[in-house]
Amino acid sequence: MEKTTENILEIRDVSMIYGQVKALQNIDLTVRKGEWLAIMGPSGSGKTTMMNIIGCMDKPSSGSVILDGREISGMSSRALTEMRRDRIGLIFQQFHLISYLTALENVMVAQYYHSMIDEAEALQALERVGLKDRAKHLPHQLSGGEQQRVCIARALINYPRLILADEPTGNLDEANERIVLDLLRRLHAEGSTIIVVTHSPEVAEYAEKTIVLEHGRIARTTRNAD
Amino acid sequence: MFGRMLRGALTRQKGKLLMVAFAMALGVSLATAMLNVMMDVGDKVNQELRTYGANLTVVPRGASLVNELYDLEDERAEAGASIPQKYLAEDDLPKMKMIFWAFNIVDFAPFLEMRATSAGRAVTLVGTWFDKHLDLPTGESVDTGMKRLKSWWDIGGEWARDDGRDAMIGKNLADRLGLKVGDVFPADRQNLTVKAIFESGGPEDDQAFVPLHLVQELSNRPGAVERVDVSALTTPENDLARRAAQDPNSLSRREWDTWYCTAYISAIAYQIEEVVADSRAKPVLQVAESEGAILRKTQLLMLLLTVLSLACAALAISNLVTAGVMERSAEIGLLKAIGATGAAVSLLILTEIVLTSLAGGAVGYFVGLGFAQIIGWTVFGSAIATKGLVIPLVAILVLIVTLLGSLPAIRMLLSLRPTEVLHGR
Amino acid sequence: MTKRQMYMKMLLSSLLRRRSRMTVALLAIAIGATVLLGMTTICYDIPRQMGREFRSYGANMVFVAAGGETMLSLSDVDRAAALLPRESLVGVTPYRYKTVRSNMQPYTLVGTRFEQVRKTSPWWKVSGAWPTTGTEILIGSDVAEFARLSPGRTIAISGTNAKGARFSREMTILGVVRTGGVEDDFLFMDLTALEELAGDAGRVELAEVSVAMNAAGLSALSALIQREVPTIAPRLVKRVTQSETSVLSRLQALVYLVTLVVLVLTMICVATTMMTVVMERRKEIGLKKALGAENRSIVAEFLGEGVCLGLGGGLLGVAFGWLFAQTISVNVFGRAISFNIYLVPATLAASIIVTGAACLIPIRSATEVEPALVLRGE
């Protein structure tokens, strides 16, 4: 298999049904290594469900999901946790930093659950997002943009195969949105695979490819001219 | 709108408010149980202390107590005999159950002694009631006598009957005479049956107890009684009672009424003297004083235990209320974000919590009554009297605890900036 | 930095930087531990403390002469008294009886030691004063009434001594004693002075002993005395010992049960508070799971916090619990509490266990929740 065509994620015929509600129906999707994909769609279209499945936080009702060459739909929750820890970096709309830990410690928590603690490396990650001087600050002492950058540093620290961002700019003003998106772009340029869930076309524009979900189906796929 | 929000919170925030209600129920049940037990513990322990036997002796006025305890020299016996004997009338005894404090007279037994010879040896016969059934003119009936009064006696055999020719022989006397249960015990002209050999650990071990009427017949003193032991439930003495014991006439009219209508031992003694002719009722201080001391200590102990555990409960519960309110920081941040004033938010939260607490408190009250009864039946084998006074006390406690618990939490919540709460800080 | 150091750092940060919540938790645990230690200490000490109070009922053992003798020697009484445990001995009072006459009336004159009488018979009510010298006398209230005597007056007593010679002495009445018992008929004076009058010393009819001890302990003592001092026959005063056993066991049961109820309710309260505090952190648990934390490490973190809180609250509780018990003991019994040192580790262990268990229950339910639900669903 050639490097450029290596698929990091393959979704085949995935459906997700909550009781009577069909959140996702027969989704097929492939994401190559190094690709930047945006998932769009109005509220209730299945974006969040999609993100949960890709992020190994939920298993589909039917279909197969192959992440980094491994089928996850039959995995135990323990194995899912392992997949999530080793291969995925999560960025949340609401940042979700641990309130009583400093920026640096929040990054180190991800190291802690993953493998080894390396303070120098964590500090380096903060430097990459431009927050080296804020390392000792607690979350409530940071602005929203800064918190999101800490969140990105935390997502990067374990060299994930896939960065999964859920409305990363949803709580940010324009200036901070730009900073965060530039960061993502730099990561992409460095070779990271990124999936962004958003409903903002501006954010989606940064991606190479956009899929639009409607009523749990992929309504269309567009390739953005770079 | 306030009402609607309140109703919404009360019906839809069930989980969180349930916690507060639960906490309050716990606290109130503890308070109810402790307060009820505390208020009744005096009566209960008083009842228990009756095992020490008589705390009043009634003797004929002007007669000295016949010394039995230290009756060691013959000369003394002659001396005793030289004192002119006076007696109480047996017929007066039921009147003791008709005085103001009749219910507090738990048991009593009359005594009449005589010297008799049994198989050539001198013995002391004591006539008494063992388990006498009395029908009072009031229509009530009473069973009383030695059986209840001397609970510490070790009885080998069974209690003598009041109408039979039975005898109960003290252990030492039985040893000397070589008597066993079922033997015939000759006393003067009578042949009695030994129903029981008893051990009292006191001077009674050298005596023989027989039905009162036998001694009255044998010594030719019909209807006479030398002494009556009375066991009464009393209130511990205070200054008033001590003054009254010295001289009831020194009291003012009001003091006298208070004294007469309180179950002080001196008041009961006074009332007995009123109904039993030519009698003198003397408190047996060994029992009366000590039971006062024990009662006071027990009540104080329970009071302090109650106060301290209530304080702890209050703290613990207000703490829990604090925790419950804190949990709702997000909701309060939202309310503030959409323009609610601090006062409005506080009022809403307070009303919610007070209503919840009251509901929890009501449940807790009945659970607490249950606890009190469990304690009552387990420890004393009888129900704890439920005091109405507990309800207002508990209500005040609930109010204080609720306010105490919500105020720090509310202060903390009001100092929150809405954005911080909503954006997960 | 090792993982262990990181663990400690997270633990400390959580405890120190979330001050208001942790105070709430710590306070709850401290209250629980206070009640636990305070109540159990009182429970443990109640028989001793109350036993002392029951000594107000007076002597629970009487020494009489063994083997049909009427008198026993004082030196034997002293030897027997030395066998009694010093810390629980309340008093030993010897009584010597002598028949005397005053104004042709016979009276029983009792020689005793007044400082001991006040210990073994605390219910004696003396109007006037207790005699201190050999020419002073205390008279029973019936005697006072019968002979119309009162404190300050004198009474002439006469009798025959051991050698058959007559004696008489003018005594000053210092006080009138009232007990409601046989003492009301007697005259009391100092034992040594009575021995002087009677002409023989060192022998008494009986000695009353008051020991703060339960019936079983008294029986053992009685057997010991019988073996060591065979001239003395110790008798238990059944009325006092038996009744004390029954009343004391009731009181003890009462305190035990009250303690149990209070403890159960307080522990539930502590557990509930801890649960509330942990429940609040569902989101944090969700986040940690999303970051790849295994349930095991989340449990380890919360348990770590629980143990720290339990230990801290337990230590506070030990201090306050001791104060609690001491306050009650001093106020009710006027004596310091005897403190059982083993209750300290027991209290600490109990508060750690309760806190830990209270943490685990909500964590279990929180770790079962899928992280996605916690993180997005508000």
Side-chain angles (χ1 to χ4, degrees):
Chain A
M1 207 180 273
E2 264 184 70
K3 244 189 168 180
T4 44
T5 56
E6 188 189 339
N7 290 336
I8 206 100
L9 177 71
E10 282 175 59
I11 295 178
R12 298 266 169 271
D13 197 25
V14 159
S15 296
M16 189 68 172
I17 296 157
Y18 297 112
Q20 299 288 313
V21 183
K22 290 178 180 168
L24 291 177
Q25 297 179 53
N26 313 100
I27 300 282
D28 286 291
L29 179 70
T30 308
V31 178
R32 280 178 295 104
K33 184 171 171 17
E35 197 174 11
W36 184 344
L37 173 77
I39 302 175
M40 285 191 68
S43 296
S45 60
K47 278 185 314 208
T48 305
T49 313
M50 191 76 175
M51 141 125 195
N52 288 345
I53 291 175
I54 298 172
C56 298
M57 293 189 277
D58 216 342
K59 285 185 285 185
S61 312
S62 69
S64 104
V65 178
I66 297 170
L67 179 68
D68 201 21
R70 297 183 62 189
E71 173 62 62
I72 66 163
S73 46
M75 278 186 175
S76 68
S77 71
R78 197 191 162 95
L80 273 179
T81 302
E82 222 165 277
M83 287 294 287
R84 191 160 63 224
R85 188 176 67 200
D86 295 344
R87 293 177 172 78
I88 292 173
L90 285 167
I91 300 169
F92 308 98
Q93 176 179 7
Q94 280 157 349
F95 325 139
H96 290 313
L97 296 176
I98 296 175
S99 62
Y100 52 85
L101 295 179
T102 61
L104 182 64
E105 285 161 358
N106 262 292
V107 176
M108 285 158 67
V109 165
Q111 288 181 323
Y112 172 72
Y113 290 125
H114 183 265
S115 52
M116 292 299 294
I117 312 281
D118 187 337
E119 196 170 343
E121 202 181 353
L123 205 57
Q124 223 168 18
L126 280 179
E127 197 174 1
R128 275 174 80 188
V129 298
L131 285 177
K132 193 182 179 188
D133 53 331
R134 310 288 266 166
K136 299 281 181 210
H137 287 64
L138 288 169
H140 67 89
Q141 296 164 322
L142 299 172
S143 73
E146 286 168 333
Q147 287 190 44
Q148 189 59 300
R149 278 143 69 192
V150 174
C151 192
I152 293 174
R154 182 176 66 189
L156 293 179
I157 193 68
N158 293 322
Y159 305 103
R161 306 280 285 163
L162 175 67
I163 293 172
L164 187 56
D166 177 18
E167 296 281 10
T169 59
N171 274 336
L172 300 180
D173 57 27
E174 233 167 283
N176 275 309
E177 179 175 311
R178 187 150 300 277
I179 293 173
V180 166
L181 287 174
D182 282 343
L183 254 174
L184 288 178
R185 177 180 281 173
R186 215 170 69 216
L187 291 172
H188 180 239
E190 286 165 13
S192 297
T193 315
I194 301 173
I195 297 178
V196 178
V197 178
T198 183
H199 59 255
S200 144
E202 291 85 46
V203 175
E205 251 170 39
Y206 279 75
E208 294 168 309
K209 189 169 89 175
T210 305
I211 59 166
V212 179
L213 290 175
E214 267 168 28
H215 306 297
R217 295 175 193 276
I218 297 179
R220 59 186 178 280
T221 309
T222 49
R223 287 206 163 268
N224 301 341
D226 244 316
Chain B
M1 191 56 214
F2 180 79
R4 188 178 290 182
M5 279 171 70
L6 194 61
R7 206 163 49 242
L10 288 178
T11 50
R12 285 170 220 133
Q13 290 262 351
K14 265 181 220 140
K16 287 168 186 174
L17 288 177
L18 208 62
M19 205 65 131
V20 173
F22 177 66
M24 202 51 72
L26 276 183
V28 168
S29 64
L30 178 67
T32 311
M34 288 294 279
L35 286 172
N36 270 315
V37 170
M38 184 198 87
M39 288 181 184
D40 206 32
V41 80
D43 288 352
K44 289 281 181 278
V45 172
N46 209 339
Q47 199 71 253
E48 292 302 320
L49 288 173
R50 294 292 93 251
T51 58
Y52 278 98
N55 46 6
L56 272 171
T57 12
V58 187
V59 291
R61 184 166 290 278
S64 290
L65 278 176
V66 173
N67 173 21
E68 47 179 37
L69 182 54
Y70 304 117
D71 191 0
L72 298 150
E73 292 176 54
D74 291 339
E75 203 179 334
R76 166 70 206 170
E78 289 163 24
S82 72
I83 295 172
Q85 284 299 315
K86 292 182 180 171
Y87 297 103
L88 301 170
E90 190 184 353
D91 295 341
D92 280 344
L93 298 190
K95 291 185 189 159
M96 290 202 291
K97 279 302 274 185
M98 298 187 299
I99 62 169
F100 184 81
W101 284 110
F103 278 119
N104 283 41
I105 307 274
V106 181
D107 284 296
F108 56 94
F111 298 96
L112 183 63
E113 284 184 27
M114 67 174 285
R115 301 251 163 179
T117 43
S118 172
R121 289 173 191 248
V123 292
T124 308
L125 288 190
V126 184
T128 188
W129 290 349
F130 295 103
D131 190 11
K132 181 87 166 175
H133 181 85
L134 296 175
D135 287 309
L136 303 181
T138 54
E140 292 167 74
S141 66
V142 181
D143 290 294
T144 188
M146 296 277 288
K147 194 172 174 180
R148 283 159 235 268
L149 214 49
K150 309 279 182 185
S151 58
W152 66 91
W153 281 20
D154 255 351
I155 310 287
E158 56 188 66
W159 281 92
R161 287 160 304 151
D162 286 305
D163 48 1
R165 307 213 161 267
D166 295 346
M168 294 176 69
I169 315 288
K171 184 172 144 280
N172 297 348
L173 180 64
D175 285 350
R176 277 205 303 276
L177 299 177
L179 287 173
K180 294 189 306 294
V181 175
D183 286 355
V184 171
F185 169 57
D188 286 2
R189 298 160 270 143
Q190 299 281 346
N191 276 336
L192 307 178
T193 315
V194 178
K195 278 283 181 186
I197 311 282
F198 66 84
E199 190 187 351
S200 75
E204 297 91 343
D205 286 351
D206 291 299
Q207 298 169 338
F209 281 73
V210 298
L212 179 64
H213 70 92
L214 271 180
V215 175
Q216 288 172 345
E217 280 165 30
L218 287 173
S219 61
N220 199 23
R221 292 177 288 184
V225 167
E226 269 173 337
R227 174 170 67 97
V228 185
D229 278 0
V230 182
S231 172
L233 293 175
T234 61
T235 307
E237 301 261 285
N238 62 4
D239 265 350
L240 175 66
R242 271 185 274 277
R243 266 171 46 219
Q246 295 290 323
D247 180 13
N249 297 325
S250 70
L251 301 178
S252 72
R253 183 76 212 164
R254 256 190 73 194
E255 285 174 330
W256 198 89
D257 283 345
T258 318
W259 171 74
Y260 194 87
C261 298
T262 309
Y264 296 124
I265 195 153
S266 49
I268 294 177
Y270 184 87
Q271 290 168 23
I272 289 177
E273 287 174 7
E274 284 180 329
V275 295
V276 180
D278 279 331
S279 70
R280 197 159 142 241
K282 308 205 311 180
V284 181
L285 293 188
Q286 178 182 9
V287 177
E289 287 280 292
S290 307
E291 94 193 2
I294 301 277
L295 267 182
R296 267 193 297 272
K297 295 285 172 190
T298 316
Q299 276 170 325
L300 190 58
L301 174 71
M302 280 305 292
L303 180 74
L304 272 180
L305 275 183
T306 307
V307 167
L308 283 183
S309 40
L310 283 193
C312 280
L315 262 175
I317 285 152
S318 50
N319 198 13
L320 193 42
V321 172
T322 307
V325 176
M326 274 183 180
E327 222 193 345
R328 304 179 54 190
S329 52
E331 185 197 332
I332 289 153
L334 179 72
L335 283 177
K336 290 188 73 178
I338 59 174
T341 62
V345 172
S346 315
L347 189 66
L348 181 69
I349 297 266
L350 262 183
T351 318
E352 260 175 54
I353 293 208
V354 167
L355 285 182
T356 317
S357 301
L358 285 181
V363 173
Y365 176 75
F366 290 103
V367 174
L369 287 188
F371 273 130
Q373 294 315 331
I374 291 176
I375 291 177
W377 283 103
T378 320
V379 178
F380 301 110
S382 60
I384 298 274
T386 308
K387 301 279 198 299
L389 181 63
V390 171
I391 299 177
L393 280 180
V394 164
I396 290 169
L397 191 80
V398 167
L399 214 64
I400 291 175
V401 165
T402 313
L403 292 180
L404 211 75
S406 4
L407 286 185
I410 286 178
R411 246 190 53 199
M412 191 210 79
L413 291 176
L414 292 182
S415 67
L416 289 178
R417 277 179 297 137
T419 48
E420 278 185 353
V421 182
L422 291 179
H423 293 300
R425 289 198 291 172
Chain C
M1 187 187 274
T2 62
K3 288 194 87 159
R4 179 175 296 272
Q5 281 169 324
M6 183 66 193
Y7 174 75
M8 292 312 290
K9 188 156 200 176
M10 283 164 67
L11 205 73
L12 280 179
S13 302
S14 170
L15 292 174
L16 298 178
R17 297 209 183 114
R18 305 169 66 247
R19 223 168 282 143
S20 57
R21 309 298 161 95
M22 287 303 146
T23 315
V24 164
L26 198 68
L27 191 63
I29 300 160
I31 291 167
T34 302
V35 172
L36 176 65
L37 186 90
M39 293 291 273
T40 41
T41 301
I42 290 167
C43 243
Y44 171 83
D45 212 28
I46 270 286
R48 189 180 72 96
Q49 299 277 28
M50 263 301 184
R52 277 272 162 181
E53 295 306 324
F54 273 89
R55 298 314 338 110
S56 63
Y57 276 103
N60 45 9
M61 202 195 292
V62 176
F63 290 166
V64 293
E69 295 287 320
T70 51
M71 303 282 269
L72 71 165
S73 98
L74 264 180
S75 59
D76 284 349
V77 171
D78 288 341
R79 272 207 295 145
L83 295 172
L84 303 171
R86 189 149 297 283
E87 67 281 0
S88 44
L89 181 63
V90 177
V92 180
T93 315
Y95 289 100
R96 163 95 194 249
Y97 299 89
K98 183 86 193 148
T99 306
V100 294
R101 280 176 191 273
S102 172
N103 265 341
M104 300 310 287
Q105 267 298 326
Y107 291 107
T108 300
L109 176 61
V110 184
T112 186
R113 294 192 179 127
F114 289 113
E115 85 282 356
Q116 293 293 323
V117 169
R118 294 161 87 154
K119 288 180 193 159
T120 56
S121 307
W123 64 87
W124 281 27
K125 282 203 172 156
V126 174
S127 50
W130 291 80
T132 49
T133 69
T135 55
E136 289 166 345
I137 197 166
L138 196 63
I139 62 173
S141 60
D142 285 349
V143 176
E145 199 175 305
F146 176 77
R148 303 193 201 292
L149 290 169
S150 58
R153 304 264 302 272
T154 56
I155 178 172
I157 53 166
S158 60
T160 43
N161 70 12
K163 299 179 187 75
R166 289 199 67 78
F167 67 81
S168 68
R169 188 180 275 188
E170 185 91 348
M171 307 287 288
T172 313
I173 299 170
L174 226 57
V176 174
V177 61
R178 190 167 67 85
T179 70
V182 288
E183 292 86 355
D184 289 358
D185 287 350
F186 294 168
L187 309 175
F188 295 90
M189 66 183 287
D190 184 65
L191 179 62
T192 322
L194 179 69
E195 285 173 337
E196 231 171 78
L197 290 180
D200 63 340
R203 278 151 38 92
V204 292
E205 266 90 4
L206 61 91
E208 287 188 352
V209 185
S210 176
V211 193
M213 204 171 261
N214 60 18
L218 284 174
S219 302
L221 273 185
S222 153
L224 176 75
I225 290 168
Q226 243 162 353
R227 203 167 54 241
E228 298 290 321
V229 192
T231 50
I232 285 183
R235 297 242 178 90
L236 300 194
V237 182
K238 257 190 132 107
R239 173 188 194 179
V240 174
T241 57
Q242 200 117 322
S243 305
E244 178 175 324
T245 307
S246 85
V247 177
L248 204 52
S249 66
R250 288 288 164 91
L251 278 180
Q252 218 175 323
L254 173 70
V255 178
Y256 277 152
L257 216 61
V258 164
T259 304
L260 195 72
V261 170
V262 173
L263 271 189
V264 166
L265 293 183
T266 326
M267 289 305 141
I268 293 177
C269 218
V270 172
T272 322
T273 310
M274 277 316 287
M275 276 160 72
T276 317
V277 169
V278 175
M279 284 285 241
E280 225 193 347
R281 298 168 69 184
R282 278 163 66 96
K283 215 173 185 177
E284 187 185 323
I285 294 172
L287 171 70
K288 284 178 170 170
K289 281 195 76 174
L291 290 178
E294 287 168 24
N295 287 350
R296 191 156 40 96
S297 40
I298 292 176
V299 168
E301 281 160 31
F302 277 82
L303 210 55
E305 277 181 30
V307 168
C308 285
L309 284 173
L311 193 67
L315 284 174
L316 278 177
V318 166
F320 285 115
W322 180 79
L323 264 177
F324 179 111
Q326 190 70 303
T327 310
I328 287 191
S329 185
V330 167
N331 280 300
V332 177
F333 303 110
R335 278 186 290 273
I337 196 100
S338 87
F339 191 66
N340 186 348
I341 200 73
Y342 293 110
L343 283 175
V344 175
T347 306
L348 290 182
S351 62
I352 289 173
I353 289 169
V354 169
T355 317
C359 280
L360 283 183
I361 298 165
I363 291 176
R364 271 190 77 85
S365 68
T367 50
E368 275 161 18
V369 172
E370 289 299 324
L373 292 178
V374 184
L375 291 179
R376 286 225 54 175
E378 285 280 0

